[in-house]
Amino acid sequence: MEEEELVIFVDRRQEIVHAMEKYRAYLTEEDKQEIGFILDMDGPILKRMNKLKDEAGSWMEKKGNIRIQQNAYQRVYSVDSLFIDHRK
């Protein structure tokens, strides 16, 4: 499951939970158990989302470091300038 799919899933889940709030008084014991099972899944979902966030942060940091190194070697020089190398 991709990060975007997880975000959509969590947002949709939150909408459903809010919509069900008004039916709380009508819940049976079986309903409460099923809700408890669903809530138990929050931990693994959050763990996966945090892992994806950390991976994205690590990728961005690595990309930034690569860009810094490339910029050091790809300096912009003036087109009309001369470079003179003296031999020793």
Side-chain angles (χ1 to χ4, degrees), residues 32-87:
K32 291 178 183 179
Q33 287 177 349
E34 287 184 33
I35 291 170
F37 176 72
I38 293 169
L39 291 175
D40 288 342
M41 294 306 214
D42 274 355
I45 291 170
L46 290 173
K47 184 177 178 183
R48 176 75 173 137
M49 288 179 73
N50 283 326
K51 182 179 178 197
L52 290 171
K53 180 187 75 162
D54 292 343
E55 287 175 4
S58 175
W59 180 84
M60 289 177 70
E61 184 178 337
K62 186 187 301 183
K63 190 74 171 170
N65 288 340
I66 290 171
R67 185 173 290 125
I68 289 169
Q69 289 175 353
Q70 286 176 340
N71 287 342
Y73 290 103
Q74 298 174 353
R75 293 282 180 200
V76 178
Y77 296 102
S78 179
V79 178
D80 60 348
S81 66
L82 296 173
F83 179 77
I84 301 172
D85 188 15
H86 296 281
R87 290 187 180 210

Side-chain angles (χ1 to χ4, degrees), residues 7-23:
V7 171
I8 292 169
F9 170 76
V10 170
D11 289 343
R12 179 69 180 132
R13 180 182 170 276
Q14 192 64 33
E15 291 171 8
I16 293 170
V17 168
H18 284 299
M20 293 174 53
E21 220 24 74
K22 60 185 171 186
Y23 301 107

